[in-house]
Amino acid sequence: PTLGVGALIGLLAVFRRPTPSDPVAASHLTFQKRTLYGAMIAGVAGAVLILVNLGVFVLFLMVLWILARGVVGVLRLKSGQPIDRPDTWLI
């Protein structure tokens, strides 16, 4: 409903922040950046693919992927653990 305004605010908030010295926080910040990059790429691809009736499926998968990465990140942050492989596109 916000037409990407929330994503743009999230991108600005994450990318203007300096990398923390704490390894747990640094891994979570890298994980957030990768999630936002992936969401941005999938969102653009899904918007383009709507023209060939494939975009809704791509956007649905993007939402599931974002939710899964968000849940994993929050659970690991609550337990005080770093993200094991923050540079991966997988969960």
Side-chain angles (χ1 to χ4, degrees):
T2 63
L3 299 175
V5 174
L8 183 62
I9 291 170
L11 284 169
L12 291 174
V14 169
F15 291 112
R16 297 188 116 192
R17 182 175 298 165
T19 304
S21 60
D22 178 33
V24 173
S27 72
H28 281 275
L29 183 64
T30 303
F31 192 69
Q32 286 177 341
K33 286 181 182 181
R34 297 287 283 195
T35 303
L36 286 171
Y37 275 143
M40 186 173 60
I41 292 167
V44 170
V48 170
L49 289 173
I50 282 179
L51 298 173
V52 292
N53 294 329
L54 193 60
V56 175
F57 180 68
V58 171
L59 293 173
F60 178 72
L61 289 178
M62 177 193 72
V63 168
L64 292 179
W65 179 75
I66 290 170
L67 287 173
R69 284 180 67 99
V71 167
V72 167
V74 167
L75 290 176
R76 294 195 60 91
L77 187 61
K78 282 181 68 173
S79 65
Q81 299 173 345
I83 302 294
D84 294 329
R85 297 178 299 152
D87 291 333
T88 185
W89 290 104
L90 303 175
I91 298 170

